[in-house]
Amino acid sequence: MTVRVEAGRRAESSTATLTRGAAHPDRGAPAGWRDPFRTTPARIIVHGIVLAALLVATAVVALGAGGPASTLGERSASAAARTGTSARQIYVGLADADVAASAAFLLPPGADRLAGLRANYQRKIHEVEHALNASMGAAVDDPDRLAKLAAIAARLQVYQRILADALTVAEARGTATTQGVLASAYAREASHYLATQLLTAAQALWGYDTRLLRNARDEARWWVAASLLMPLLTLAALVAVQWWLWRRTRRRLNIGLLAASVGVVAVLAMAVASWSHWPTAADRLPALEQAVDEQRATQQRLGALLAGRADIYLGLGASVDPAGHHRDFDGRRLCDGPDGVDCSTLAAVWTARQSSEPNAFREAVDAVLDGGRAGASFDTATTTLTNRLDEGDKLVTAGVERLEAAPRQWGGTAGWVALLAGAAVVLGLRQRLVEYR
């Protein structure tokens, strides 16, 4: 009988042990082992680390958003408009200089109008140099743009040396034919260099300036989202931890978490204030970007028109490749559209060199220079495009004025408030951890 009672007790003991083992979350773990992260003190520490990380991230985002927020809107738009205008002056000035330099090789040495044509070239070059110097002075705080301007200035010096050599050859003693061939060869080299190096660099400068608007808006999208979402995420985490701690420990609010929550609300309010100009900028910047793009298209059209005029001068005055200049002119499609050139005035110009008429070349020169039929047609087209650029400048200026200036930025203050909120979290959870233990 005693043996049976003892066996029954052992069976009950084994059953109870198995039951406790099945109910324990760490079944299969070594005897006496307990998951440390399931204890309330450990969870308080983990929650504190997570909240501190979120608050540090909130501070970093608040500090980083200050630059994009202050750049967005009127500041970036006015900078793009101002630098875009200087880029246009450089681009058009270079194209004008090419036209003036090409015209200097139309007439033989000693011609009456030759001095005036060369003086016009020197004046155009000085205008470009003045625009470059002014742009470089305004770009002291923008190393990328300053480097692009310096590259244009260096290439301009190369171009001037080529032209100086060409003019020296043209003035040297020798037959008119020899001088014409050498001078036109130099002119062709200089014009090609200007088209492939200088004007390309100036166009890249324009593109760099107009990207200021798009970059400001694209960067702002990310920063405005991060500036608002990070405080909201951190506030949600603070509320969740406060609720968990309130239920876990004596149902009391934690002062540290409460102070941190108030601080994060303040950070969120400062973010809203810093980005208050975003809705207006997001609504009005696309129209401004379109106006800038239209300016760019008009500038390219004007550049093509000036390059086409240089083609005519080189084709008429050069004896090396007049057919190539004619093809270049036709490729620019300058006879089309309301701002096109009256190409019927050029029919006799392209064949003047080969004409047997004694006065054909002189009449062609008179036609393409200022005052002639072809020259007047180019002047009219140039005036039309220049007026369109001026009207476009007014639209761009009006678009800039419609944008709001960036409000006072609270990024620095918000960053410090977020860090102080992190300190409040650490102190509040440390006090509750001590009380719990």
Side-chain angles (χ1 to χ4, degrees), residues 53-114:
L54 287 173
L55 286 164
V56 169
T58 302
V60 171
V61 169
L63 291 172
S70 60
T71 300
L72 179 70
E74 189 273 337
R75 177 177 170 183
S76 63
S78 60
R82 183 176 63 254
T83 55
T85 299
S86 66
R88 188 192 79 193
Q89 292 173 345
I90 294 170
Y91 181 89
V92 175
L94 288 170
D96 266 337
D98 186 35
V99 173
S102 302
F105 296 101
L106 273 175
L107 301 177
D112 295 338
R113 288 183 289 181
L114 184 59

Side-chain angles (χ1 to χ4, degrees), residues 311-324:
D311 289 333
I312 294 174
Y313 290 159
L314 293 174
L316 179 60
S319 59
V320 286
D321 189 19

Side-chain angles (χ1 to χ4, degrees), residues 87 91 152 198-208 296-297 299-300:
Y91 181 89
I152 293 175
L198 273 166
L199 289 181
T200 301
Q203 191 65 41
L205 179 66
W206 172 273
Y208 171 80
R296 183 178 184 180
Q299 174 190 277
Q300 290 176 329

Side-chain angles (χ1 to χ4, degrees), residues 126-198:
H126 289 323
E127 290 176 359
V128 174
E129 290 176 335
H130 178 74
L132 272 173
N133 292 334
S135 297
M136 293 176 74
V140 291
D141 296 330
D142 190 343
D144 292 337
R145 190 169 192 273
L146 190 60
K148 289 179 173 61
L149 290 168
I152 293 175
R155 293 173 183 177
L156 181 61
Q157 292 179 355
V158 175
Y159 174 77
Q160 289 178 275
R161 286 197 297 269
I162 296 174
L163 259 294
D165 291 341
L167 293 174
T168 300
V169 171
E171 293 172 354
R173 292 180 180 180
T175 65
T177 302
T178 302
Q179 291 173 353
V181 171
L182 292 175
S184 62
Y186 272 115
R188 179 60 174 166
E189 179 184 355
S191 182
H192 177 74
Y193 182 83
L194 184 139
T196 58
Q197 298 294 324
L198 273 166

